[in-house]
């Protein structure tokens, strides 16, 4: 029993112990739950520090807590640490997750940690944490927050697909606190992805949202704009713009401005642009460019220039466009010089091919308009050889040249057009015709023939001008000695019915008479001169000339009696011209009516001693007295010719006659003395040969032939002459005609001499005389050809002067390149007087004439330099050199550099250079759009009282143009009319009145349109 009792006691003890342990465990569980509840309550009441304290206390009092309990308590501690935002929060979280990787609170802790960083704006860190959360493990009240926050973070870190997905989930739920936000951010995401229409779907849902209507307003306007709904931008902005946040107003203002500009509502665009710019010191280049575009649309060109200029320094595509638009703005301000610079800068950039081409074109036009510089147009055509503007370019150039009467360059430009329009063809016909007239005036008849032929080939445009081209072509042919061709042209003209009503009809008939006359066809010439005199409206002066030429024809046809009658009739009406009377006397002599001949010649010699024909009449009278055996009277006539007249052309002939008279009277020694004077004057002339024959006869009559032989020996005139002496004799004969001014005959004799002696000792001199002969006759091309031949012979006696004369003629004929080259040669040859200085001046003018302006400037500087060789620089040459330098700078695109020179020259407006310089300054101000400057300069020039009326009138034309540019058409018209009424042209080619009338006609047409 005892044992059993003992055992029972043990069991009981064990049971007691077991019961005691269970009770303890139960009590511990109760305590644990109580602590968890307390910790949970503290956490729920945001007593996060107390939570951590309670956890620490519990862990100390209950060291044997179960892992789940500890995990639950630690979770509250971690969450409290997160809520408190303690510095070592992240390590605490990391430690917890490593220790309890399967804790049911893991997702809540990660969500809470992510939310902590979300609240701090550390969206990348928050997004990483949110991405680790399993939403299914979150509590219901956490899930909506989680979706929104993760979506927001995704949006902020660029995970737009994730963001849109999350916002979409929120929007798929019933309306909640995140609905409006999600709509806004969805719209934003679609906006940044370029889905503007998609963005609008959500933005329009926020139109009435109290919180987001204003916040999303700027974005709504922008999406409307980006989807091309500019009308909606404008209508919506009227409603929402005043309520937009200040931070959005500038951006929205820019959008509205752009929308208005796109709908051509420039005033509204400007209104909102000013809001955008107000107080903004950080405008971008694009902002400034757009501001310039708006100002340009509103015709606020100065403001446009200011904005575009700020962008123009950029070397990108925006800078190129800004330069181009700046050029357009300057054009509207009438400042063509600055416009040219802007277009040039734009043309030097290649970002936009269209702008580049158009800029080169505009630069070329302005370079041509302002400087007559065609090189930029050439550059344009070289770069764009297939440009459709090629013909436009040449047409434009030609029109400008025509306007300025520069017909040579107009012909060249029009000739480059591939297919001529009717207007262009008519302009070419006109330009070629007037170029031909210019060439005729300069003596370039061969070149004129080409011009008239070109004009005639385009005669279908203007039949009247075609006939005139043929008329002047005949004139040029006549001037070149091609009389048969000239006659053919004139015959064709006179047979054209349309030409019979032309003012030139009678003159063509008159000219045809001369064609035949000079061709030796006197019968035909007589017929046409007679027909001309029979024309009722014949010009009185030409009619008298035709009558005299008709008499000449009868004379050449040896119908002396009729010739005498015709000459006598014309002598009655000839006034101071004694040619008809003289010729009538000659004619009467040929029909043996010497008494009538003497009567007429005595009258001439008594009443017309100042006439050029007086010596010839006196000589012929003396010869007639001789034939009538009135020796005393004959001697009287010949004595006057020998001793009293300055004209020595008849002296030798008179001496011959006196010698013959003396010999006839037996006064052989006296006769020999007269004959000796003839030989002494020119031993190789024809008169000298006659004198030698007379001397030989006289010495033979005195039976002293040895004296004649001795004389011949002393004079080197042996009976057998050398080839050189024969050449000298022929040359002297021709030279005498040249020296006495009988150029037509001299030309024939000199040509004959050259045909006989093409390479003789006098060939160079004969060629030189021919050059001077044709120059005196006005046949400049022939003259140049002979001077050129002298130059090619390198004869030092004539080379220098021939080079000078050839260069001068080339310059007159506008063959500037040849002229410049010849003046350069003269620089090397010059030994005579100031020829070196003339050469330098010629080079300068020739380079200027050919458009080589930089070379002209260098040539002018060479003349103006202090050490310029040659004679001392005259004031006239200094002024000319300064003037050509100034014009070369201006025309070469350096107008600013030319201004000071023109200012200096214009101080003396009494000279042509000074007055033209004043005009250049007026034109400079006009081209810059400085119309006040134009007025001031023109009035100042007028007040000087200068008599340079041409340049003064040109200045007033520019003044009228300035009034027109300012739309003061009434004042412009008054200015042009005052010029028309008060100006008189004094020089051929004066374009003042034609320019004035074209402007008045334009004003008249403008008035008609109004």
């Amino acid at each position: 029993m005892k044992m059993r009792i003992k055992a029972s006691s043990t069991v009981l003890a064990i049971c007691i112990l077991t019961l005691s342990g269970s009770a303890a465990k139960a009590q511990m569980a109760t305590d644990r739950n109580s602590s968890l509840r307390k910790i949970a309550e503290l956490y729920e009441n945001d007593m996060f520090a107390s939570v951590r304290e309670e956890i620490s206390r519990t862990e100390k009092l209950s060291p044997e807590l179960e892992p789940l309990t500890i995990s639950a308590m630690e979770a509250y501690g971690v969450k409290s640490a997160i809520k408190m935002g303690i510095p070592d929060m992240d390590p605490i979280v990391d430690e917890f997750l490593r220790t309890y990787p399967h804790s049911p609170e893991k997702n809540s802790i990660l969500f809470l940690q992510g939310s902590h960083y979300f609240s701090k704006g550390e969206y990348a860190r928050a997004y990483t944490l949110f991405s680790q959360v399993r939403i299914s493990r979150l509590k219901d009240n956490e899930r909506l927050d989680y979706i929104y926050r993760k979506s927001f973070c995704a949006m902020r870190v660029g995970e737009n697909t994730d963001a849109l997905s999350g916002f979409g989930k929120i929007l798929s739920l019933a309306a909640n606190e995140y609905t409006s936000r999600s709509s806004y951010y969805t719209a934003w995401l679609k906006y940044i992805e370029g889905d503007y229409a998609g963005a609008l779907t959500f933005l329009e849902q926020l139109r009435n949202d109290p919180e987001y209507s204003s916040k999303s307003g700027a974005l709504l306007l922008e999406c409307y704009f980006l989807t091309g709904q500019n009308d909606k931008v404008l209508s919506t902005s009227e409603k929402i713009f005043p309520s937009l946040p200040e931070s959005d107003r500038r951006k929205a203002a820019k959008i509205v401005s752009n929308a208005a500009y796109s709908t051509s509502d420039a005033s509204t665009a400007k209104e909102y642009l000013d809001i955008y710019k107000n107080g903004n010191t950080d405008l971008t280049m694009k902002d400034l460019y757009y501001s310039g575009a708006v100002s340009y649309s509103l015709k606020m060109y100065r403001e446009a220039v200011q904005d575009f200029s700020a962008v123009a320094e950029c070397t990108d595509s925006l800078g190129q466009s800004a330069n181009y638009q700046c050029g357009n703005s300057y054009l509207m301000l009438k400042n063509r010089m600055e416009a040219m610079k802007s277009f040039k800068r734009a043309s030097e950039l290649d970002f936009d091919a269209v702008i580049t081409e158009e800029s080169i074109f505009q630069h070329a036009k302005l370079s041509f308009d302002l400087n007559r510089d065609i090189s930029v147009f050439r550059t344009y055509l070289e770069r764009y050889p297939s440009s459709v503007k090629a013909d436009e370019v040449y047409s434009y150039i030609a029109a400008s040249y025509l306007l300025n009467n520069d017909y040579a360059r107009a012909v060249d430009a029009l000739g480059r057009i591939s297919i001529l329009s009717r207007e262009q063809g008519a302009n070419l016909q006109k330009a070629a015709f007037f170029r031909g007239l210019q060439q005729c005036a300069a003596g370039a008849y061969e070149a004129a023939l080409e011009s008239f032929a070109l004009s005639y080939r385009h005669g279908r445009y203007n039949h009247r001008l075609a006939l005139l081209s043929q008329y002047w072509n005949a004139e040029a042919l006549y001037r070149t000695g091609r009389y048969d061709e000239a006659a053919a042209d004139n015959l064709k003209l006179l047979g054209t019915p349309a030409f019979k009503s032309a003012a030139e009809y009678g003159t063509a008939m008159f000219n045809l008479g001369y064609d035949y006359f000079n061709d030796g066809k006197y019968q035909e010439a007589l017929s046409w001169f007679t027909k001309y005199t029979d024309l009722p409206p014949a010009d009185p002066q030409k009619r008298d000339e035709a009558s005299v030429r008709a008499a000449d024809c009868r004379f050449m046809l040896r119908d002396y009696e009729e010739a005498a009658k015709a000459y006598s009739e014309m002598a009655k009406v000839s006034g101071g011209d004694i040619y008809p009377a003289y010729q009538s006397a000659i004619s009467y002599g040929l029909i043996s009516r010497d008494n009538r001949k003497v009567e007429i010649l005595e009258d001439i010699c008594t009443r017309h001693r100042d006439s050029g024909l007086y010596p010839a009449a006196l000589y012929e009278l003396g010869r007639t007295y001789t034939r009538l055996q009135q020796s005393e009277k004959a001697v009287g006539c010949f004595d006057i010719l020998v001793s009293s007249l300055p004209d020595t052309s008849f002296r030798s002939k008179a001496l011959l006659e006196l010698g013959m008279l003396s010999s006839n009277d037996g006064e052989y020694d006296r006769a020999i003395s007269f004959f000796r004077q003839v030989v002494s004057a020119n031993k190789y002339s024809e008169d000298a040969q006659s004198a030698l024959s007379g001397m030989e006869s006289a010495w033979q009559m005195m039976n002293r032939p040895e004296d004649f032989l001795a004389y011949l020996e002393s004079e080197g005139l042996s009976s057998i002459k050398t080839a050189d002496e024969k050449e000298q004799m022929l040359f002297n004969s021709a030279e005498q005609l040249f020296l006495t001014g009988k150029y037509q005959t001299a030309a024939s004799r000199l040509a004959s001499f050259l045909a006989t002696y093409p390479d003789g000792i006098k060939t160079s001199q004969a060629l030189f005389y021919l050059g001077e002969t044709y120059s005196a006759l006005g046949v400049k091309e022939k003259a140049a050809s002979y001077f050129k031949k002298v130059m090619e012979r390198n004869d030092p006696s004539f080379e220098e002067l021939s080079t000078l004369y050839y260069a001068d003629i080339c310059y007159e004929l506008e063959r500037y390149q040849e002229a410049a080259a010849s003046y350069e040669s003269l620089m090397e040859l010059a030994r005579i007087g100031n020829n070196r200085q003339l050469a330098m001046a010629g080079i300068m003018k020739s380079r200027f004439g050919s458009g080589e302006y930089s070379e002209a400037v260098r040539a002018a500087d060479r003349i103006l330099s202090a050490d310029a060789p040659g004679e001392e620089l005259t004031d006239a040459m200094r002024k000319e050199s300064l003037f050509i330098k100034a014009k070369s700078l201006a025309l070469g695109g350096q107008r600013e550099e030319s201004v000071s020179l023109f200012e200096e020259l214009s101080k003396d407006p009494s000279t042509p250079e000074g007055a033209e310089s004043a005009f250049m300054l007026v034109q400079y101000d006009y081209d810059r759009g400085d119309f006040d400057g134009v007025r001031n300069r023109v009035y100042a020039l007028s007040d000087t009282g200068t008599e340079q009326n041409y340049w003064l009138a040109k200045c007033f034309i520019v003044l009228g143009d300035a009034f027109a540019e300012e739309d003061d058409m009434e004042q412009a018209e008054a200015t042009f009319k005052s010029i028309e009424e008060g100006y008189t042209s004094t020089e051929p080619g004066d374009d003042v009145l034609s320019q004035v009338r074209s402007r008045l006609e334009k004003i008249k047409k403008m008035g008609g349109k109004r």
Side-chain angles (χ1 to χ4, degrees), residues 684-973:
Y684 297 113
S685 67
E686 292 180 8
D687 288 338
Q689 297 306 305
S690 298
L692 287 171
S693 297
M695 278 191 279
E696 182 180 14
S697 176
W699 266 309
Q700 284 179 348
M701 292 299 294
M702 292 188 293
N703 199 23
R704 292 159 49 192
E706 66 280 0
D707 289 347
F708 176 63
L709 294 174
Y711 173 76
L712 289 177
E713 192 67 31
S714 67
E715 292 293 327
L717 294 168
S718 61
S719 58
I720 302 175
K721 295 183 171 56
T722 67
D724 286 348
E725 289 172 329
K726 291 179 180 178
E727 178 184 347
Q728 183 71 53
M729 183 175 69
L730 284 174
F731 176 78
N732 286 346
S733 173
E735 182 183 44
Q736 190 65 31
L737 292 166
F738 167 76
L739 294 174
T740 56
K742 297 178 179 178
Y743 296 119
Q744 290 286 7
T745 308
S748 176
R749 290 284 183 88
L750 287 166
S752 177
F753 171 81
L754 287 170
T756 306
Y757 299 99
D759 197 25
I761 58 175
K762 289 293 183 178
T763 298
S764 293
Q765 190 170 359
L767 288 168
F768 182 79
Y769 281 166
L770 266 174
E772 288 208 283
T773 296
Y774 281 116
S775 186
L777 291 171
V779 188
K780 298 295 178 67
E781 288 164 314
K782 271 194 175 182
S785 70
Y786 283 109
F787 288 131
K788 182 72 170 177
K789 289 177 181 178
V790 178
M791 292 163 61
E792 291 168 350
R793 292 178 64 84
N794 298 318
D795 186 332
S797 300
F798 299 97
E799 186 177 17
E800 182 175 341
L801 280 178
S802 292
T803 303
L804 173 62
Y805 295 164
Y806 177 76
D808 286 345
I809 291 175
C810 285
Y811 181 80
E812 290 175 31
L813 296 177
E814 301 178 14
R815 287 153 49 176
Y816 298 119
Q817 295 288 350
E818 292 177 70
S822 299
Y823 285 125
E824 292 282 3
S825 297
L826 183 61
M827 285 280 288
E828 302 298 323
L829 296 169
R831 300 289 183 275
I832 301 173
N834 66 339
N835 278 353
R836 184 173 172 81
Q837 202 172 72
L838 291 174
M840 288 193 294
I843 293 167
M844 173 183 68
K845 292 188 289 186
S846 299
R847 296 299 183 194
F848 178 79
S850 65
E852 299 173 89
Y853 300 121
S854 59
E855 291 298 322
V857 169
R858 275 193 279 273
D861 284 337
R862 181 164 57 180
I863 295 171
L864 294 167
S865 61
D867 58 346
E871 296 183 350
E872 182 179 352
L873 187 65
T874 65
D875 184 59
M877 183 169 282
R878 178 181 176 277
K879 282 184 177 179
E880 181 182 39
S881 301
L882 280 175
F883 180 65
I884 289 180
K885 179 179 179 179
K887 287 194 74 173
S888 296
L889 288 169
L891 295 174
Q894 297 175 275
R895 293 186 77 178
E896 289 85 352
E897 291 85 340
S898 73
V899 169
S900 60
L901 297 177
F902 284 131
E903 292 280 11
E904 179 182 346
L905 290 161
S906 68
K907 291 176 183 177
D908 183 11
S910 64
T911 66
E913 294 89 353
E916 187 175 354
S917 295
F919 166 76
M920 293 296 287
L921 291 168
V922 169
Q923 188 68 52
Y924 176 75
D925 283 344
Y926 175 83
D927 291 335
R928 291 189 304 149
D930 182 4
F931 301 132
D932 287 336
V934 170
R935 280 187 283 274
N936 293 336
R937 288 189 187 276
V938 174
Y939 295 145
L941 179 63
S942 180
D943 289 343
T944 65
T946 178
E947 295 183 0
Q948 298 293 329
N949 293 327
Y950 174 79
W951 292 112
L952 182 60
K954 295 280 279 188
C955 286
F956 271 99
I957 289 175
V958 178
L959 177 62
D961 290 339
F963 284 129
E965 291 287 4
E966 294 178 310
D967 291 328
D968 189 350
M969 302 309 294
E970 183 176 351
Q971 189 64 51
E973 184 176 19

Side-chain angles (χ1 to χ4, degrees), residues 428-494:
L428 177 56
Q429 182 190 9
K430 174 184 174 183
F433 173 74
F434 284 108
R435 177 58 181 156
L437 293 184
Q438 287 177 335
Q439 289 164 325
C440 282
Y445 298 109
E446 291 290 348
L449 287 170
E450 295 179 14
S451 297
F452 292 133
L454 177 61
S455 181
Y456 186 76
R457 285 200 301 273
H458 291 82
R460 62 185 177 278
Y461 299 108
N462 185 326
H463 297 298
R464 158 73 177 152
L465 201 58
L467 293 172
L468 285 177
S469 295
Q470 191 174 2
Y471 170 84
W472 281 100
N473 191 71
E475 177 68 14
L477 286 168
Y478 173 84
R479 296 287 183 175
T480 57
R482 290 148 69 175
Y483 305 121
D484 55 340
E485 293 179 61
D489 266 9
N490 278 320
L491 270 176
K492 184 178 178 181
L493 268 175
L494 292 169

